[in-house]
């Protein structure tokens, strides 16, 4: 029997008094890859931020559970310690903190254990090589002066080094050229196994080529209006969201 990892029930949530998610329910089992598709402004990034506990967003009703525990009221760092990880659509620049120090500090905070420098640096160097990142980037300030592609590779570097139970990837492939998408895709595929899960927002389905997608959810105007398997991705790539919007308007 599949082991449930993430369970969202009848979630109503928004920001600054505006409701964005309108009764959304979603379930992800361990080992699964789920994809969320939808037009801009449909609430996809809001969903990711709420799962991760961003303080800007407010849950007005419904629950978010992780491994059977209600985490709706937990702070972001508490969720990270339980095994959640969010890759940002637009990664922040953090002057004064190097990539190496940021990842090492995060790893210690999540695990609650002291990270030994030598094996950590060995793992970091090997992972950066896999992502085709220059080793000197480890000593640069976090994302400062990085190109868009370098920032996204840095997100995948953090994912691989922290090894969470659930990866929330919010358009990690946006703005990347073909080669960079390939590298990011390979990085996500390297991370994913039967003991963790991925919830992915994307407009460029090339990032999914090396992954076995289990379920696809179409999110429009804060509601999941259609669900299916990977064949739903092909259908939307051909026809877009118009036919789904039209069908929803007729109801």
């Amino acid at each position: 029997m599949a082991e449930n990892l993430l369970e969202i029930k009848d979630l109503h949530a928004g920001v600054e008094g505006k409701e964005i998610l309108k009764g959304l329910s979603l379930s992800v089992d361990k080992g699964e890859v789920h994809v969320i598709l939808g037009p801009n402004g449909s609430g996809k990034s809001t969903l990711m931020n709420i799962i991760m506990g961003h303080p800007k967003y407010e849950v007005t009703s419904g629950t978010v559970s992780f491994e059977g525990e209600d985490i709706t009221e937990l702070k972001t760092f508490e969720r990270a310690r339980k095994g959640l990880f969010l890759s940002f659509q637009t990664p922040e620049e953090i002057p004064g903190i190097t990539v190496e120090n940021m990842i090492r500090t995060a790893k210690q905070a999540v695990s609650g254990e002291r990270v030994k420098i030598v094996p950590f640096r060995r793992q970091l160097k090997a992972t950066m090589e896999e992502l085709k990142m220059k080793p000197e980037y480890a000593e640069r300030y976090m994302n400062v002066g990085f190109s868009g592609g370098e920032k996204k590779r840095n997100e995948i570097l953090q994912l691989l080094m922290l090894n969470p139970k659930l990866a929330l990837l919010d358009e990690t492939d946006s703005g990347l050229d073909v080669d960079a998408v390939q590298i990011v895709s390979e990085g996500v595929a390297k991370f994913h196994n039967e003991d963790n899960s991925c919830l992915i927002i994307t407009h460029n389905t090339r990032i999914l080529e090396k992954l076995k997608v289990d379920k696809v959810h179409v999110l429009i105007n804060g509601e999941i209006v259609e669900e299916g398997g990977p064949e739903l991705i092909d259908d939307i790539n051909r026809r877009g969201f118009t036919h789904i919007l039209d069908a929803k308007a007729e109801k």
Side-chain angles (χ1 to χ4, degrees):
M1 180 180 293
E3 184 178 344
N4 182 260
L5 195 63
L6 176 71
E7 184 79 32
I8 299 172
K9 292 183 179 179
D10 195 26
L11 186 65
H12 291 258
V15 61
E16 297 177 351
K18 178 183 178 182
E19 186 176 55
I20 298 174
L21 302 182
K22 306 168 184 177
L24 184 148
S25 295
L26 176 70
S27 180
V28 179
D29 287 339
K30 183 179 290 187
E32 291 185 337
V33 174
H34 286 229
V35 177
I36 299 178
L37 302 176
N40 292 332
S42 60
K44 303 185 298 299
S45 292
T46 294
L47 173 61
M48 293 296 213
N49 280 295
I50 287 171
I51 294 172
M52 200 66 220
H54 194 303
K56 174 182 174 182
Y57 297 86
E58 180 185 7
V59 174
T60 52
S61 65
T63 58
V64 179
S65 298
F66 188 69
E67 294 189 309
E69 176 187 356
D70 187 344
I71 63 169
T72 312
E73 301 298 327
L74 292 188
K75 297 184 183 300
T76 300
F77 75 89
E78 295 172 315
R79 302 185 194 208
R81 284 177 177 169
K82 292 185 179 296
L84 282 81
F85 173 91
L86 173 61
S87 172
F88 294 99
Q89 183 175 344
T90 307
E92 294 287 336
E93 296 185 1
I94 308 177
I97 302 178
T98 66
V99 169
E100 178 182 328
N101 285 340
M102 181 70 178
I103 296 176
R104 182 159 53 88
T105 301
K107 197 173 181 69
Q108 288 183 162
V110 169
S111 67
E113 300 176 355
R114 180 175 173 273
V115 174
K116 296 180 179 179
I117 292 290
V118 173
F120 171 80
R121 284 181 172 170
R122 188 182 302 121
Q123 181 189 4
L124 181 65
K125 181 180 178 182
T127 307
M128 291 180 74
E129 287 177 355
E130 291 176 356
L131 296 171
K132 295 181 172 57
M133 295 178 68
K134 296 178 180 179
E136 56 265 30
Y137 273 63
E139 298 306 316
R140 290 182 59 175
Y141 291 149
M142 192 73 170
N143 292 324
V144 175
F146 286 27
S147 68
E150 289 166 345
K151 288 180 179 180
K152 297 302 178 71
R153 292 187 201 191
N154 196 24
E155 292 286 286
I156 301 302
L157 174 65
Q158 295 169 65
L159 171 66
L160 292 172
M161 291 296 294
L162 297 176
N163 193 29
K165 296 176 182 177
L166 176 63
L168 307 169
L169 307 180
D170 186 0
E171 294 192 36
T172 306
D173 53 346
S174 66
L176 301 182
D177 60 30
V178 173
D179 291 337
V181 170
Q182 176 80 3
I183 292 169
V184 168
S185 177
E186 290 173 354
V188 176
K190 179 177 174 60
F191 159 76
H192 179 248
N193 58 47
E194 62 183 12
D195 294 321
N196 59 39
S197 300
C198 297
L199 185 59
I200 302 172
I201 294 173
T202 183
H203 290 294
N204 180 356
T205 54
R206 284 205 60 199
I207 194 176
L208 307 173
E209 289 178 358
K210 295 185 181 296
L211 295 169
K212 177 185 174 295
V213 174
D214 295 283
K215 199 161 188 178
V216 178
H217 314 267
V218 179
L219 180 58
I220 295 178
N221 294 327
E223 300 176 273
I224 292 178
V225 298
E226 190 165 340
E227 294 179 314
E231 70 281 350
L232 186 53
I233 297 173
D234 296 331
D235 182 54
I236 290 173
N237 281 339
R238 288 196 313 271
R239 300 198 289 167
F241 298 106
T242 304
H243 67 290
I244 299 176
L245 287 165
D246 290 344
K248 188 174 185 291
E250 291 173 1
K251 293 182 179 180

